[in-house]
Amino acid sequence: MKRLFAALLLLSSLAIAHAQERVEKWGVYEVVLKGADAGNPFIDLELGATFTQGSESYAPEGFYDGDGTYRIRFMPPSAGQWRWVTRSNHPDLDGKKGAFVAVEGKNKGPVRVANVHHFAHADGTPFRPFGTTIYEWAFQPEAKKRQTLETLRKTAFNKARMLAVPPYKPYYLSGATRLTDFPFVGSSRADFDFSRFNPVYFRNLERDVQRLSDLGIQVDLILFRPYDKGQWGFDTTSDAVNQRFVRYMVARFAAYQNIWWSMANENSYIKHLGDEDFDRYFQIVQKHDPYGHLRSIHNADRIYDYNKPWVTHVSLQYYNAVKVFGVSPLLRDIYRKPIVHDEINYEGNSASRWGELSGEELTRRFWIALTGGAYATHGEILDNGWIGGGGYLAGASPERIAFLRTIVEAGPKEGLKPIDQLFVMNTAGKAGEYYLMYFGDERPSEWRFELPVGELRSGMQFKVDVIDTWNMTITPVAGTFSIGELTRYRVADQDKRSVALPGKPYMALRIQRVGAMPAGPRAPVPGAVADD
Amino acid sequence: MKRLFAALLLLSSLAIAHAQERVEKWGVYEVVLKGADAGNPFIDLELGATFTQGSESYAPEGFYDGDGTYRIRFMPPSAGQWRWVTRSNHPDLDGKKGAFVAVEGKNKGPVRVANVHHFAHADGTPFRPFGTTIYEWAFQPEAKKRQTLETLRKTAFNKARMLAVPPYKPYYLSGATRLTDFPFVGSSRADFDFSRFNPVYFRNLERDVQRLSDLGIQVDLILFRPYDKGQWGFDTTSDAVNQRFVRYMVARFAAYQNIWWSMANENSYIKHLGDEDFDRYFQIVQKHDPYGHLRSIHNADRIYDYNKPWVTHVSLQYYNAVKVFGVSPLLRDIYRKPIVHDEINYEGNSASRWGELSGEELTRRFWIALTGGAYATHGEILDNGWIGGGGYLAGASPERIAFLRTIVEAGPKEGLKPIDQLFVMNTAGKAGEYYLMYFGDERPSEWRFELPVGELRSGMQFKVDVIDTWNMTITPVAGTFSIGELTRYRVADQDKRSVALPGKPYMALRIQRVGAMPAGPRAPVPGAVADD
């Protein structure tokens, strides 16, 4: 995706807009207008444009970018000719018109919910989030940012959780890591002007969002955060400032195809805001983002009600939910939305207990999440502090998570669904076709071939792979297994065969149907609960 | 509680109401009116009364009880003189007046939510549900009902889940178990008149509700159920019939202090009704029940949104949630309401997998629920089929559940709260004062004394009891343990002492503060999640 800028013609203070001619579908198209810089356009200005192609129409808001420059961004969701006309309470910016052509390209478009509990790009390509956490990478010196991008290029992570506003840290005040630009005009608590955004800050952030997009990485962009330690005042701004901030963020970032909106990190630690405030901010995003990018919020002690209609998916921090089997299926049923375990503790050697997992344990939690029909997000806090500023990865889990991703992506295109979930806690897939079964800490030396009866037919053939999730090997079991006589709940191989296992932890099985489909009806899925 | 009936004076078809003089607080007061029986009073009649004492006022609906008799029931929630006046679209029943005195008695009043995740009677007495399941007991021959009541008298169960409408079973059609009365007039699908309720049926049900009340047992009364097998049509009645049924149930039963409203059993198996229907029925109950009895709904595959404002507590069927540790704390945080695991599989020898738990396993699930800050409900399906018709209990779990109840009731009056729940999965109590820790299937031979730091002070003394939850023994550990130097997360005994354990499963520890409170501040509870 290439950012194209509209040609710009200055004529005294009169705004004149020219459109560039072509942009890729789901790329960023931009109308640039020039106008007077009187008053405070961050507060006073109303600006937007309506983009139309046939019966399709979108009306994003524009924003003031400083120095008399006004921009309206648009992510064309269809190829073809788009016409636009601006609207503004500023006469110089109102009623400007133009047109451009969106052309097919390589973009897959924004990620949406697909099949209730999963995700797909707008073009239909399934998207399975294997995220990582780099809260502060965008606030680091450029050399370190490049190192982070280089690291990401070599991993399988395809989503990055990151803050849109820096946390207060002393190292941001001096030295090579000193921050010169903040979201608001000013450079310290004493002189921040919360009525004026700092366009330089946001242009830098946009560049980083774009660089992640170029790597195919979704940005889970966190709008509000605690972590201010009473210093800058970014977590105690007024509701009016917060509402302007949300609209400004949407106006600037919604046209980036890789944006996910995370309303907050650790919501309840922002003492100044309650969930009723986040309700409003969610609804502002929902109203002003013309493309319906994903929306969620990440919790501390107080879990936001993810059933609310403006929440697209669950972004949970609850470690128990990935320490034991069986919780993700419950969460799927409670919310009927995708479940993303966005903080599951970190691989690390931190003195804080949330940052001291072994690579084995973080990998185990990923497998528990995925075989529960959910997703998980990585983080690392070894010496380098990846979850803060990025840089390089030193842990053992990223490679295993990449291995898991290859397995999941080779699985059912609908995503993994828990199978017989109230009585079988460690298996997901697609009943009758594909089963991914994970043994976690257990060290079985054999597994008797036995599948939940739902969707099976006698005579079906299955092949089995033994997966060592830690050593990243996939070992096919010789021969195939045959579904014997159907029973009420679980069906064995017709010769009662078993699969030999090495008596080690972190083993999994992949069981896939092969060969011709036998005749006869598939067995119904037994009532998940006591229906008889 | 004694049911008193208003004196009844017949004067041609003109209704005349007389009030009895005294009734116990939270007892059932009843206004009885006589009127003509023309038309269909189950549909046409509007009837109610307003009961007033000072600024307190309640307006329950009345109901037609057949044979020209109309009743309005009232559960006086305060002692003192109450005045009432009727209202009706039937002139003979409108504007009747009376008064009575409510006197203090032994009733504790209806159960309400208390302390967010727990329950208490209206008089403030904590109520901790240790329920059982006897779906069909009220439809059995009287001798068996008496046997059930006799059985319950000897158990510790204080809540009974039961159906308000019988399920279809062939044995209800003939022999000693033949049903002669149904909720609707008629006796078979061919002749049920869904426009007319059968008062005899409801009077029988009331008698059984009252008999359970006399035993101190709450009735979790299930209004809608599947299980009709296409026979009687009770689960495919129209919305108009359903709404009338809900109002009629509320008019008849809301004055019984021991009623809990369960909108459905296994909601999604009632194919005719969606959760949007239950939304309406919930709201009818909420509107017409003047006393705000507890309201919930029990799920099959589709979990109702317990966050909805008319739901008072969670009534969940999800076995995983009690098979592993750590799920109830999550559910508490998701819903911020009491969590009752109302179906956790049954102790039994059924061929159905939901009814084949050992007594050990059912007891284990109870302990997991309680040490997760939640509650659970028992059921048994040994030869006698207790969950259906009641009768006698043959299982091993009721005695252990009674033992657990004595422990819980001797614990913190606020109820058990999970302690340090994201890092400690098996402990609930009251931080700094009381810890109940359960080891489940694990067989530790010792436990190093170590408590989560929150609310502790150096120098605090604790006594420890070793609890064998299966053999029902409580063995005090000699001496006391002393809180040593406070550390960041978990604090050991100052002499690093351990507690010896017998290497058996199903063990628990009870750790209670004793002795004088040392000086100094209590340690703050560390952030449940990553706040630093």
Side-chain angles (χ1 to χ4, degrees):
Chain A
M1 192 181 71
K2 193 169 167 227
R3 279 233 328 267
L4 302 173
F5 290 88
L8 181 62
L9 186 63
L10 282 171
L11 180 60
S12 144
S13 72
L14 185 70
I16 301 217
H18 278 208
Q20 76 268 46
E21 289 177 359
R22 297 166 75 83
V23 66
E24 277 192 12
K25 185 163 107 175
W26 295 310
V28 179
Y29 177 82
E30 198 170 64
V31 175
V32 184
L33 307 171
K34 288 298 262 188
D37 189 13
N40 182 348
F42 295 112
I43 292 184
D44 307 331
L45 181 72
E46 290 168 26
L47 175 65
T50 301
F51 294 81
T52 307
Q53 179 181 180
S55 61
E56 255 188 300
S57 175
Y58 297 86
E61 290 199 307
F63 62 92
Y64 183 51
D65 202 26
D67 300 321
T69 303
Y70 300 81
R71 301 181 195 274
I72 307 160
R73 290 187 177 146
F74 177 57
M75 180 185 75
S78 310
Q81 190 184 58
W82 289 89
R83 298 187 173 280
W84 54 265
V85 56
T86 67
R87 60 184 186 280
S88 180
N89 61 351
H90 187 321
D92 289 353
L93 304 174
D94 187 54
K96 305 300 166 194
K97 292 179 181 177
F100 74 99
V101 172
V103 298
E104 297 287 352
K106 289 183 180 167
N107 296 319
K108 296 176 187 163
V111 171
R112 320 258 197 234
V113 173
N115 192 20
V116 183
H117 293 106
H118 300 280
F119 301 98
H121 288 278
D123 75 350
T125 309
F127 177 81
R128 312 189 200 288
F130 286 82
T132 189
T133 309
I134 42 174
Y135 286 127
E136 302 174 53
W137 88 285
F139 317 124
Q140 305 307 308
E142 176 61 17
K144 188 163 185 192
K145 288 197 202 186
R146 288 178 185 274
Q147 185 190 25
T148 302
L149 292 165
E150 209 41 54
T151 301
L152 286 171
R153 185 188 304 279
K154 290 179 276 183
T155 71
F157 297 120
N158 59 11
K159 176 170 88 76
R161 274 186 71 72
M162 57 184 270
L163 300 173
V165 174
Y168 176 83
K169 297 275 177 74
Y171 60 69
Y172 286 136
L173 304 183
S174 62
T177 52
R178 190 172 81 85
L179 287 182
T180 52
D181 287 288
F182 293 88
F184 300 97
V185 168
S187 58
S188 71
R189 173 138 211 178
D191 71 353
F192 282 128
D193 178 354
F194 292 129
S195 77
R196 289 183 179 271
F197 299 111
N198 172 6
V200 174
Y201 176 87
F202 292 96
R203 285 197 288 268
N204 286 337
L205 192 60
E206 285 159 11
R207 179 159 167 264
D208 293 332
V209 166
Q210 181 62 53
R211 292 198 284 190
L212 290 175
S213 190
D214 293 342
L215 292 176
I217 295 175
Q218 301 295 308
V219 171
D220 205 358
L221 191 60
I222 298 162
L223 300 188
F224 295 92
R225 91 289 181 272
Y227 322 128
D228 205 87
K229 297 187 167 62
Q231 296 291 328
W232 288 329
F234 296 160
D235 59 356
T236 53
T237 41
S238 70
D239 181 58
V241 170
N242 293 342
Q243 294 205 25
R244 277 203 303 276
F245 173 70
V246 172
R247 285 176 71 167
Y248 196 73
M249 289 298 294
V250 171
R252 294 201 75 117
F253 288 92
Y256 292 85
Q257 63 178 330
N258 63 325
I259 284 292
W260 299 24
W261 304 113
S262 180
M263 300 309 299
N265 213 57
E266 302 197 313
N267 62 335
S268 63
Y269 290 160
I270 308 174
K271 301 299 180 193
H272 194 61
L273 297 177
D275 283 348
E276 65 285 2
D277 298 303
F278 291 118
D279 289 350
R280 284 197 307 285
Y281 305 152
F282 262 113
Q283 289 174 82
I284 290 170
V285 172
Q286 188 179 31
K287 177 177 175 188
H288 291 290
D289 171 0
Y291 323 109
H293 288 286
L294 294 165
R295 294 176 298 270
S296 193
I297 185 169
H298 170 273
N299 65 290
D301 304 298
R302 186 183 72 230
I303 297 177
Y304 188 85
D305 180 3
Y306 295 110
N307 274 319
K308 288 179 176 170
W310 42 78
V311 178
T312 56
H313 65 287
V314 172
S315 171
L316 192 68
Q317 174 174 214
Y318 214 97
Y319 318 139
N320 296 354
V322 289
K323 283 192 236 172
V324 294
F325 286 95
V327 185
S328 291
L330 170 59
L331 291 169
R332 285 167 52 111
D333 287 346
I334 285 176
Y335 293 118
R336 294 191 278 277
K337 294 177 181 180
I339 308 299
V340 186
H341 297 283
D342 261 326
E343 194 166 339
I344 61 174
N345 293 154
Y346 303 127
E347 180 174 358
N349 53 10
S350 168
S352 293
R353 59 185 175 174
W354 45 261
E356 56 183 24
L357 295 188
S358 65
E360 285 86 344
E361 175 60 12
L362 185 66
T363 305
R364 188 183 76 91
R365 293 184 182 190
F366 254 81
W367 272 85
I368 288 177
L370 270 290
T371 53
Y375 297 97
T377 299
H378 161 271
E380 177 181 304
I381 182 163
L382 286 157
D383 323 295
N384 54 326
W386 169 262
I387 62 160
Y392 63 93
L393 283 162
S397 63
E399 198 183 350
R400 276 79 187 185
I401 294 167
F403 175 70
L404 171 58
R405 181 177 166 188
T406 63
I407 290 170
V408 171
E409 293 192 337
K413 69 177 186 330
E414 306 92 327
L416 298 173
K417 180 180 178 176
I419 294 176
D420 203 17
Q421 64 195 72
L422 287 194
F423 292 90
V424 179
M425 294 173 78
N426 68 341
T427 304
K430 181 180 179 181
E433 299 295 329
Y434 177 103
Y435 303 81
L436 191 61
M437 182 179 300
Y438 179 55
F439 295 104
D441 289 327
E442 290 177 37
R443 301 166 186 239
S445 57
E446 71 166 356
W447 175 73
R448 184 184 180 226
F449 183 96
E450 198 176 64
L451 294 177
V453 69
E455 302 292 339
L456 294 179
R457 293 178 185 175
S458 284
M460 276 182 171
Q461 303 288 313
F462 286 89
K463 67 173 179 179
V464 177
D465 295 312
V466 175
I467 300 174
D468 182 329
T469 69
W470 184 250
N471 293 305
M472 298 177 283
T473 59
I474 300 177
T475 309
V477 176
T480 61
F481 294 79
S482 245
I483 296 298
E485 196 181 345
L486 298 188
T487 53
R488 187 165 174 199
Y489 294 125
R490 305 184 75 179
V491 190
D493 170 65
Q494 65 181 11
D495 300 322
K496 314 285 185 218
R497 287 175 60 208
S498 291
V499 173
L501 290 167
K504 295 194 299 183
Y506 312 131
M507 301 302 296
L509 294 173
R510 181 170 62 184
I511 303 160
Q512 298 177 86
R513 194 173 69 76
V514 292
M517 175 68 84
R522 287 174 185 259
V525 176
V529 286
D531 60 343
D532 59 350
Chain B
M1 190 181 75
K2 192 166 167 229
R3 265 206 12 239
L4 302 176
F5 290 87
L8 182 61
L9 187 64
L10 281 171
L11 180 59
S12 144
S13 73
L14 184 69
I16 300 217
H18 279 207
Q20 76 269 48
E21 288 176 1
R22 296 166 75 84
V23 68
E24 277 191 13
K25 186 164 108 175
W26 295 310
V28 179
Y29 175 82
E30 197 170 65
V31 175
V32 184
L33 307 172
K34 289 297 265 188
D37 189 14
N40 182 347
F42 295 112
I43 292 184
D44 306 331
L45 181 72
E46 289 169 26
L47 174 65
T50 301
F51 294 80
T52 306
Q53 178 180 182
S55 61
E56 255 188 300
S57 175
Y58 296 86
E61 290 199 308
F63 61 93
Y64 183 52
D65 201 26
D67 300 322
T69 302
Y70 300 82
R71 301 181 195 272
I72 307 160
R73 289 186 178 147
F74 177 55
M75 180 184 75
S78 310
Q81 190 185 56
W82 289 88
R83 299 187 172 279
W84 53 264
V85 55
T86 67
R87 60 183 185 283
S88 179
N89 61 351
H90 186 322
D92 289 352
L93 304 174
D94 188 51
K96 306 300 166 197
K97 292 180 180 175
F100 74 99
V101 172
V103 297
E104 296 288 350
K106 290 183 178 166
N107 296 319
K108 297 177 186 159
V111 172
R112 322 259 197 232
V113 172
N115 193 20
V116 183
H117 293 106
H118 301 281
F119 301 98
H121 287 279
D123 75 351
T125 309
F127 177 82
R128 312 187 199 289
F130 286 81
T132 188
T133 309
I134 42 174
Y135 287 128
E136 303 174 52
W137 88 286
F139 317 124
Q140 305 307 309
E142 176 61 17
K144 188 162 185 192
K145 287 197 202 187
R146 288 178 185 274
Q147 184 189 28
T148 302
L149 292 165
E150 210 39 55
T151 301
L152 286 171
R153 187 188 303 279
K154 290 179 277 185
T155 70
F157 297 120
N158 59 10
K159 178 171 86 77
R161 275 186 69 73
M162 55 184 272
L163 300 174
V165 174
Y168 176 83
K169 297 276 177 71
Y171 59 71
Y172 285 136
L173 302 184
S174 62
T177 53
R178 191 172 80 88
L179 287 181
T180 53
D181 287 289
F182 294 87
F184 300 96
V185 169
S187 58
S188 70
R189 172 139 212 176
D191 71 353
F192 283 128
D193 178 355
F194 292 128
S195 77
R196 291 184 178 268
F197 297 113
N198 172 6
V200 174
Y201 176 86
F202 291 97
R203 285 198 289 266
N204 287 336
L205 192 59
E206 285 159 12
R207 180 159 166 265
D208 293 332
V209 166
Q210 181 61 54
R211 292 197 283 190
L212 290 175
S213 189
D214 294 341
L215 292 176
I217 295 175
Q218 302 294 308
V219 171
D220 205 359
L221 191 61
I222 299 161
L223 300 188
F224 294 94
R225 91 292 181 270
Y227 322 128
D228 205 88
K229 298 189 167 63
Q231 296 292 329
W232 288 330
F234 296 159
D235 60 354
T236 53
T237 41
S238 70
D239 182 57
V241 170
N242 294 342
Q243 295 204 25
R244 276 204 303 274
F245 173 69
V246 172
R247 286 176 70 168
Y248 195 73
M249 289 298 294
V250 172
R252 293 200 75 116
F253 288 91
Y256 292 84
Q257 62 179 330
N258 63 326
I259 284 292
W260 299 25
W261 305 112
S262 179
M263 300 310 299
N265 213 58
E266 302 196 312
N267 62 336
S268 63
Y269 290 160
I270 308 173
K271 301 299 180 195
H272 194 61
L273 297 177
D275 283 347
E276 65 285 1
D277 298 302
F278 291 117
D279 291 348
R280 284 198 307 284
Y281 305 152
F282 262 114
Q283 290 173 82
I284 289 171
V285 172
Q286 187 179 32
K287 178 178 175 188
H288 292 290
D289 171 0
Y291 322 108
H293 288 286
L294 294 164
R295 295 177 296 270
S296 193
I297 185 169
H298 169 273
N299 65 289
D301 304 299
R302 186 183 72 229
I303 297 177
Y304 188 85
D305 180 3
Y306 295 109
N307 275 318
K308 288 179 177 171
W310 43 78
V311 178
T312 56
H313 65 287
V314 172
S315 171
L316 191 68
Q317 176 175 209
Y318 214 97
Y319 319 138
N320 296 355
V322 288
K323 282 191 239 173
V324 294
F325 286 95
V327 185
S328 291
L330 170 59
L331 291 169
R332 285 167 51 111
D333 288 347
I334 285 175
Y335 293 117
R336 295 190 279 279
K337 295 179 182 179
I339 308 299
V340 186
H341 297 283
D342 262 326
E343 194 165 337
I344 62 175
N345 293 156
Y346 303 128
E347 180 174 358
N349 53 11
S350 168
S352 293
R353 58 184 175 175
W354 45 261
E356 57 182 22
L357 295 189
S358 65
E360 286 87 343
E361 176 61 11
L362 185 65
T363 306
R364 187 183 77 91
R365 293 184 183 189
F366 255 82
W367 273 85
I368 288 175
L370 270 289
T371 53
Y375 297 97
T377 299
H378 161 271
E380 176 181 304
I381 182 163
L382 287 158
D383 323 297
N384 56 327
W386 169 263
I387 61 160
Y392 64 94
L393 283 162
S397 63
E399 198 183 350
R400 277 78 188 186
I401 293 166
F403 175 71
L404 171 58
R405 183 177 163 187
T406 65
I407 290 170
V408 171
E409 292 192 336
K413 68 177 188 330
E414 306 91 328
L416 298 173
K417 180 179 178 179
I419 294 176
D420 204 17
Q421 64 194 69
L422 287 193
F423 292 90
V424 178
M425 294 172 80
N426 68 340
T427 303
K430 181 180 179 181
E433 299 296 329
Y434 177 103
Y435 303 80
L436 191 61
M437 183 179 299
Y438 179 55
F439 296 105
D441 288 327
E442 290 177 35
R443 301 165 186 239
S445 56
E446 71 166 356
W447 176 74
R448 184 184 179 229
F449 184 95
E450 198 178 63
L451 296 176
V453 69
E455 303 293 339
L456 294 180
R457 293 178 186 174
S458 284
M460 276 182 172
Q461 303 288 312
F462 286 89
K463 68 173 179 178
V464 177
D465 295 313
V466 175
I467 300 174
D468 183 328
T469 69
W470 184 250
N471 293 306
M472 298 177 283
T473 60
I474 300 178
T475 309
V477 176
T480 61
F481 293 79
S482 245
I483 296 298
E485 195 180 346
L486 298 187
T487 53
R488 187 166 175 198
Y489 295 126
R490 304 184 77 181
V491 189
D493 170 66
Q494 65 182 12
D495 299 324
K496 314 286 186 219
R497 287 174 60 208
S498 291
V499 173
L501 290 167
K504 294 195 299 184
Y506 312 130
M507 302 302 295
L509 294 173
R510 181 169 62 183
I511 303 160
Q512 298 178 85
R513 193 172 69 75
V514 292
M517 175 68 84
R522 287 173 185 259
V525 177
V529 288
D531 61 342
D532 59 352

